[in-house]
Amino acid sequence: MDYRLNVTYIAFGGHVEVHKYRYLYFVIMFTVYILIISSNLTIVCIIMIHKNLHEPMYIFIAALLINSVFFSTAIYPKLLVDFLSEKQIISYPACLFQWFSYYWLVVSDFFLLSIMAYDRYVSICNPLQYTTIMQKHTVTIFLIFAWILPAGFFLVVLLLSAKKEICKYHLKGILCNSTVLTLHCVRSTILNVYGLFLFVFFVILPVLFILFTYSRILVVSYRCRGVRRRAAQTCLPHLLVLINFSCFTTYDVLLSRLELNSSKIVSLIMALQVVIYHPLFNPIIYGLKMRRIYDHLKKLFC
């Protein structure tokens, strides 16, 4: 803690031989960051430019990729600075803001995936009602709902955490995620219960809803051969993203709850996978598996 400025600093202890490999870490992560930003924004721009992609499904994909850009921007600049710094520290208010941005965007992704599943459900199971249900104002409401609602709920946790006294000034990881709760002098029952509620409401329920909608799509596809290929082309990318995202999110949430004592190198690898794999995985999946986007990418680069 810096008493002259009355600012509390938190030290990161999850880096592995950062002083020895700082420049290697920096080059690798900077390259990954540029790839994430360029790949996600390329597909977003393609969706914005081409009118045949101005459909709800592609708009939701663009929103998901924009989230990946915001998520990476909340994480990578600080990581890059830490790699070149003698001390890997962050002020407590900045740590809370990174925590808030991290989980707000993660939960927003789950909501967007749920909305995309509903969009596919209506398109395949009720095609005659699709244009009536998925109108422009409906899409706008869904997007606002996916961004504003998680922000409001996690803002409550942010304010409660800011008022809590902290007795620890060291985090085992390389960023401010769920382990921030371990800094408090006394683990709050209210925060634990509220956190469990958020996990169920924002993760478990959306996943169950997605599985239900895709099971219905699977039944319709089995009965009608004409929609099988269409369902496979549009639903498979969403399912791949969901499986990938759910696994890493579950690990991240359980990290602070179970206080796993894994080795430093394993924790670093898992943390890097969370911040690398999902933001880089999304544009690759949607760019290669979504036929219309893939066609525009071919025209752009060929």
Side-chain angles (χ1 to χ4, degrees), residues 1-2 5-12 74 78 89-102 154-155 157-159 161-164 166 168-169 171 175-177 180 183-184:
M1 178 182 290
D2 191 333
L5 300 176
N6 195 27
V7 176
T8 301
Y9 287 96
I10 308 299
F12 294 119
K78 176 55 182 170
I89 60 175
I90 185 172
S91 67
Y92 186 57
C95 186
L96 288 178
F97 178 75
Q98 187 183 68
W99 173 91
F100 170 78
S101 302
Y102 185 100
F154 279 93
L155 186 61
V157 183
L158 179 67
L159 295 176
S161 297
K163 295 180 179 180
K164 293 285 293 182
I166 63 173
K168 299 178 182 178
Y169 306 95
L171 287 174
L175 52 89
C176 295
N177 53 10
V180 169
L183 299 175
H184 298 160

Side-chain angles (χ1 to χ4, degrees), residues 195-237:
L196 183 61
F197 163 76
L198 293 180
F199 180 71
V200 171
F201 185 75
F202 286 116
V203 178
I204 301 298
L205 291 182
V207 169
L208 291 177
F209 175 77
I210 293 170
L211 294 177
F212 170 76
T213 54
Y214 282 128
S215 66
R216 296 295 301 165
I217 291 172
L218 185 63
V219 171
V220 173
S221 301
Y222 179 77
R223 292 175 180 174
C224 184
R225 294 183 179 181
V227 300
R228 287 183 188 178
R229 185 177 179 182
R230 179 186 171 193
Q233 287 180 343
T234 59
C235 295
L236 182 60

Side-chain angles (χ1 to χ4, degrees), residues 76-90:
Y76 278 82
K78 176 55 182 170
L79 273 181
L80 295 173
V81 170
D82 284 343
F83 290 145
L84 299 181
S85 302
E86 291 299 321
K87 294 182 179 180
Q88 291 73 46
I89 60 175
I90 185 172

Side-chain angles (χ1 to χ4, degrees), residues 169-182:
Y169 306 95
H170 182 273
L171 287 174
K172 294 181 180 179
I174 60 174
L175 52 89
C176 295
N177 53 10
S178 58
T179 55
V180 169
L181 299 177
T182 63

Side-chain angles (χ1 to χ4, degrees), residues 120-296:
R120 292 300 83 205
Y121 169 77
V122 176
S123 175
I124 294 172
C125 299
N126 298 290
L128 298 179
Q129 300 179 7
Y130 182 77
T131 54
T132 303
I133 296 174
M134 299 302 294
Q135 297 181 8
K136 286 186 178 180
H137 69 274
T138 306
V139 173
T140 303
I141 292 172
F142 278 153
L143 290 175
I144 293 174
F145 182 79
W147 279 318
I148 299 299
L149 187 66
F153 275 94
F154 279 93
L155 186 61
V156 174
V157 183
L158 179 67
L159 295 176
L160 291 175
S161 297
K163 295 180 179 180
K164 293 285 293 182
E165 183 181 0
I166 63 173
C167 295
K168 299 178 182 178
Y169 306 95
H170 182 273
L171 287 174
K172 294 181 180 179
I174 60 174
L175 52 89
C176 295
N177 53 10
S178 58
T179 55
V180 169
L181 299 177
T182 63
L183 299 175
H184 298 160
C185 297
V186 179
R187 296 294 290 267
S188 172
T189 303
I190 295 177
L191 279 177
N192 284 334
V193 173
Y194 189 68
L196 183 61
F197 163 76
L198 293 180
F199 180 71
V200 171
F201 185 75
F202 286 116
V203 178
I204 301 298
L205 291 182
V207 169
L208 291 177
F209 175 77
I210 293 170
L211 294 177
F212 170 76
T213 54
Y214 282 128
S215 66
R216 296 295 301 165
I217 291 172
L218 185 63
V219 171
V220 173
S221 301
Y222 179 77
R223 292 175 180 174
C224 184
R225 294 183 179 181
V227 300
R228 287 183 188 178
R229 185 177 179 182
R230 179 186 171 193
Q233 287 180 343
T234 59
C235 295
L236 182 60
H238 303 326
L239 282 175
L240 292 175
V241 170
L242 174 67
I243 293 169
N244 161 67
F245 196 46
S246 299
C247 291
F248 286 118
T249 302
T250 302
Y251 166 81
D252 181 79
V253 171
L254 295 178
L255 188 63
S256 66
R257 302 285 175 180
L258 301 180
E259 297 185 358
L260 302 174
N261 292 319
S262 55
S263 66
K264 205 172 183 180
I265 186 67
V266 171
S267 298
L268 177 64
I269 291 173
M270 290 301 298
L272 290 177
Q273 285 194 52
V274 171
V275 300
I276 292 175
Y277 197 58
H278 180 66
L280 200 56
F281 181 79
N282 287 356
I284 293 174
I285 286 296
Y286 288 120
L288 296 179
K289 294 295 183 180
M290 302 300 288
R291 185 67 185 181
R292 290 190 192 176
I293 296 177
Y294 178 71
D295 290 340
H296 286 299

